[in-house]
Amino acid sequence: MSSVTVRVPAKVNVQLSVGPLREDGYHDLVNVFHAVSIFDEVVAKESESITVSVSGKWSDQVPVDDTNLAIRAARALAKHAGRTYGADLVIQKDIPVAGGMAGGSADAAGALVACNELWGLGLPFEDLMEIAGDLGSDVPFSLLGGTAVGTGRGERLSELPTGGTFHWVFAPANGGLSTASVYAECDRLRDASGAQVPWPQLDDTLMEALGTGDAYSLGAHLSNDLQAAALNLRPELAPTLDAGRQHGALGAIVSGSGPTCAFLAIDATHARDLALSLTTTGAAHTAVAAHGPVHGATLV
């Protein structure tokens, strides 16, 4: 096999509860992931070394050196297999970069699945998930897809049943936000307030809304403990969120560490109308309708 193509989705966090800062610098999380129909494609081609190239609307923002997470994923897979392998990784970007939608993690997951197939390793899904967890907190979910709750740093996943399809609009911002800087700002704001940070807990009402497919209830219970920090770093996101609510969004939230804004719509027609309203009024420079849940990294 000379070439393998994998399609891998973006994610939105419908609940992101962040516990106190741990001694190791991480936080315990309750992180409800939801995979949505904005996809990157990762193509792995035969090669003597591991390289990456990127095309698409966000390509100029993606590193192509050893810091690229897809390269790190391919190298981790080769190391796990105990052999030296090569692959030219070609990434078609559609997921925003540094946008809180796990674009880099998606590419890493795509590289794991593509190289596992290209190199004929035949490693089981459980092995890929173990490697993914070492690469980053969001990478295992990019493999899994669907809807799931992550605990620990977010890497320990339990699948959650969903009772239907949810429709979304995503408004990427100009420029990205560093996840580390958003967590640091969250810690700073908490220290400044002096409030006791509670242990993160799964929202039972949100769980029920996912299970029954109740978009109205889900919209009312979207939550993100990083949102205040993201808005502090990027105040221009607040008017975008407000505009989405004014145009009928059932819920409006910063996706993950941001700065992408996510809006839950009533149905597919409402999502298209909402996306159009956000762009024509200037509340967002671009807006994309999508749906979820969708499958994780998949061979195509």
Side-chain angles (χ1 to χ4, degrees):
M1 189 173 297
S2 61
S3 178
V4 176
T5 301
V6 173
R7 189 175 72 165
V8 61
K11 61 82 178 167
V12 62
N13 305 94
V14 295
Q15 178 186 347
L16 180 48
S17 297
V18 180
L21 182 64
R22 304 189 320 202
E23 289 185 1
D24 63 2
Y26 289 100
H27 302 75
D28 284 294
L29 306 176
V30 167
N31 195 353
V32 181
F33 297 98
H34 184 69
V36 296
S37 60
I38 300 172
F39 299 98
D40 281 358
E41 281 195 350
V42 180
V43 180
K45 301 178 181 180
E46 287 184 342
S47 176
E48 294 183 357
S49 59
I50 296 175
T51 64
V52 67
S53 60
V54 186
S55 61
K57 63 181 72 173
W58 313 101
S59 58
D60 61 334
Q61 301 175 40
V62 181
V64 292
D65 57 14
D66 289 352
T67 63
N68 184 284
L69 201 54
I71 285 183
R72 291 172 52 200
R75 288 178 175 167
L77 182 65
K79 182 178 180 180
H80 181 89
R83 291 182 56 187
T84 301
Y85 293 96
D88 285 334
L89 303 172
V90 182
I91 299 172
Q92 173 66 35
K93 287 297 295 179
D94 212 24
I95 303 173
V97 176
M101 300 189 73
S105 296
D107 297 340
L112 288 175
V113 173
C115 290
N116 187 45
E117 187 75 11
L118 180 72
W119 297 336
L121 300 180
L123 292 177
F125 184 73
E126 292 75 17
D127 284 19
L128 298 184
M129 287 287 279
E130 181 180 344
I131 298 167
D134 291 335
L135 290 166
S137 299
D138 290 347
V139 183
F141 178 73
S142 295
L143 280 174
L144 181 66
T147 305
V149 58
T151 55
R153 291 183 288 108
E155 81 285 3
R156 297 199 300 265
L157 296 175
S158 301
E159 294 183 72
L160 295 177
T162 50
T165 298
F166 296 97
H167 296 274
W168 298 88
V169 173
F170 295 95
N174 284 318
L177 266 177
S178 155
T179 298
S181 67
V182 176
Y183 271 98
E185 180 67 2
C186 177
D187 292 333
R188 189 192 69 79
L189 291 173
R190 287 173 166 181
D191 287 344
S193 73
Q196 187 74 24
V197 179
W199 194 260
Q201 300 291 330
L202 188 60
D203 185 331
D204 290 337
T205 307
L206 179 135
M207 286 271 288
E208 183 179 357
L210 288 168
T212 59
D214 187 340
Y216 287 87
S217 179
L218 180 61
H221 290 88
L222 298 174
S223 65
N224 181 1
D225 284 355
L226 294 179
Q227 181 160 305
L231 293 179
N232 222 40
L233 295 172
R234 297 286 293 273
E236 70 274 16
L237 300 180
T240 303
L241 293 172
D242 289 341
R245 298 183 188 102
Q246 291 165 10
H247 288 291
L250 302 180
I253 195 170
V254 172
S255 180
S257 57
T260 302
C261 293
F263 306 93
L264 186 61
I266 299 167
D267 53 27
T269 299
H270 181 220
R272 289 193 295 270
D273 292 345
L274 178 56
L276 183 61
S277 296
L278 287 168
T279 53
T280 56
T281 60
H285 69 91
T286 185
V288 181
H291 65 271
V294 298
H295 294 296
T298 304
L299 289 163
V300 295

